[in-house]
Amino acid sequence: MTSPRILTALLGFAFAASAHAADVKVVNADAWFAEGPIWYQNKLFYVEYGRGTVTTWDGNKNEVFWKQDGCGPSAVLPTAKGEFVVTCYDSNTIGRISADGKTLPPYDKDSEGHAFSGPNDFAPDKDGGIYFTGSGKGGPLIDASAYYIGKDGGVTKEAGDLHNANGLVMSNDGKILYLVETEDNRIIEFDVQPDHSLANRRVFLRLDDLFPNQPHIWPDGIKMDAKGEMYIGQSPRSLDAPGKIIVVDKDAKLLRTLSVPSPSMPNFAFGPEEKVLYVMALDQIDAAPWHGKVYEVPNTQ
């Protein structure tokens, strides 16, 4: 999620059409800053930052599953216990929700008693734990962090001095954590240690290097498919330069791009068997309530 606090006034619009535009399906035509989705128990779960909700789509209808004013949700994820966690970007907490949609006490501090700053996105691991980013205050500040929530509910800070930490994803073998630094337009990676700490920080990919003669790229959410290919979303700062979903391999080589009929597509989730992508998209990126859509897009590989 790219903070609405740092979006600037925008002019113009260049339409970005997918090569498979006829196959793109709108599953929510009135989403308000949809973000942070997951396909779970035959439903799509996603947040709407502009409404303060977690919404579900069962293939026929969208319904509000949970709502909390002041949270400012940017991602939702089921836990190993069958509950849900939500990154509450505005209240600087990790919200907790029961399986039936009731609000539970949130996580609001790490193990050292420090508050979070701009919780943003999640990445589960194979041990039942969850990594999440704290984006910090944005802009030039190098004040973002990465945290780990253990199965016991303990929250530890595992990396600091990050620049606007955003999306993150675990490698399929669980050995590497990839993390987006939006303001630096890059993805970095860490080695994941047996105790879930992070080591050997290094750059995996600089997004602008893939498109040297094209508009500046602002990476956002990332996901990895079963083949180890990484999908990278974008939150462009100008309607004159619509974003796209970028797909790279394990060596950061560009494989293909995907687009939808909206300028911004910050995050997405794989549907059943990875045959489709559920893309969270914005049409209005300069002011609340950030009108947009949720798309179902064929995942051509």
Side-chain angles (χ1 to χ4, degrees), residues 28-58:
N28 187 343
D30 184 35
W32 292 9
F33 209 146
E35 256 273 36
I38 188 75
W39 183 265
Y40 178 67
Q41 294 185 340
N42 296 315
K43 288 183 179 181
L44 180 69
F45 287 76
Y46 61 96
V47 305
E48 291 187 73
Y49 177 86
R51 288 189 168 101
T53 58
V54 174
T55 303
T56 64
W57 182 72
D58 64 1

Side-chain angles (χ1 to χ4, degrees), residues 148-225:
Y148 183 74
I149 305 174
K151 288 179 65 176
D152 61 357
V155 183
T156 53
K157 181 178 175 179
E158 302 298 349
D161 298 324
L162 301 174
H163 195 187
N164 194 209
N166 204 323
L168 70 173
V169 70
M170 185 73 67
S171 64
N172 291 336
D173 62 8
K175 295 181 179 180
I176 298 175
L177 182 72
Y178 299 91
L179 186 148
V180 170
E181 289 185 300
T182 296
E183 290 288 335
D184 283 337
N185 318 102
R186 68 184 186 180
I187 297 171
I188 61 175
E189 58 184 327
F190 298 87
D191 294 328
V192 178
Q193 305 301 297
D195 64 354
H196 307 114
S197 60
L198 302 175
N200 192 22
R201 180 189 313 200
R202 57 203 182 270
V203 175
F204 170 71
L205 169 65
R206 291 180 175 86
L207 270 297
D208 291 336
D209 290 347
L210 290 182
F211 306 94
N213 299 314
Q214 296 187 31
H216 196 48
I217 293 173
W218 304 93
D220 201 307
I222 52 175
K223 296 290 189 298
M224 185 170 290
D225 69 12

Side-chain angles (χ1 to χ4, degrees), residues 3 5-6 89 135-143 163-164 183:
S3 168
R5 293 178 297 206
I6 58 177
Y89 187 91
S135 290
K137 294 181 173 61
L141 298 175
I142 312 297
D143 63 346
H163 195 187
N164 194 209
E183 290 288 335

Side-chain angles (χ1 to χ4, degrees), residues 60-289:
N60 295 302
K61 61 183 181 301
N62 291 276
E63 290 187 328
V64 173
F65 174 70
W66 178 82
K67 179 178 175 62
Q68 186 175 83
D69 293 336
C71 164
S74 59
V76 61
L77 188 76
T79 71
K81 295 180 180 179
E83 301 172 352
F84 295 87
V85 284
V86 179
T87 48
C88 290
Y89 187 91
D90 289 350
S91 64
N92 295 311
T93 63
I94 300 296
R96 295 175 54 232
I97 309 170
S98 68
D100 58 355
K102 294 183 174 61
T103 301
L104 302 173
Y107 300 116
D108 59 0
K109 294 181 177 63
D110 65 19
S111 60
E112 297 182 353
H114 299 139
F116 313 130
S117 181
N120 197 321
D121 207 357
F122 292 119
D125 69 5
K126 295 181 179 179
D127 295 332
I130 300 168
Y131 290 91
F132 73 92
T133 47
S135 290
K137 294 181 173 61
L141 298 175
I142 312 297
D143 63 346
S145 304
Y147 300 86
Y148 183 74
I149 305 174
K151 288 179 65 176
D152 61 357
V155 183
T156 53
K157 181 178 175 179
E158 302 298 349
D161 298 324
L162 301 174
H163 195 187
N164 194 209
N166 204 323
L168 70 173
V169 70
M170 185 73 67
S171 64
N172 291 336
D173 62 8
K175 295 181 179 180
I176 298 175
L177 182 72
Y178 299 91
L179 186 148
V180 170
E181 289 185 300
T182 296
E183 290 288 335
D184 283 337
N185 318 102
R186 68 184 186 180
I187 297 171
I188 61 175
E189 58 184 327
F190 298 87
D191 294 328
V192 178
Q193 305 301 297
D195 64 354
H196 307 114
S197 60
L198 302 175
N200 192 22
R201 180 189 313 200
R202 57 203 182 270
V203 175
F204 170 71
L205 169 65
R206 291 180 175 86
L207 270 297
D208 291 336
D209 290 347
L210 290 182
F211 306 94
N213 299 314
Q214 296 187 31
H216 196 48
I217 293 173
W218 304 93
D220 201 307
I222 52 175
K223 296 290 189 298
M224 185 170 290
D225 69 12
K227 296 189 299 184
E229 296 177 355
M230 182 184 294
Y231 291 60
I232 306 160
Q234 292 186 48
S235 289
R237 306 284 174 88
S238 172
L239 292 172
D240 292 321
K244 52 190 170 288
I245 295 172
I246 299 165
V247 186
V248 300
D249 66 12
K250 62 181 179 60
D251 299 314
K253 178 183 176 182
L254 178 64
L255 298 176
R256 60 191 175 277
T257 64
L258 303 169
S259 297
V260 298
S262 292
S264 178
M265 49 204 76
N267 218 328
F268 37 83
F270 295 112
E273 300 179 356
E274 300 182 349
K275 292 182 178 180
V276 298
L277 280 179
Y278 290 104
V279 179
M280 311 292 108
L282 282 75
D283 299 309
Q284 176 194 20
I285 63 175
D286 59 340

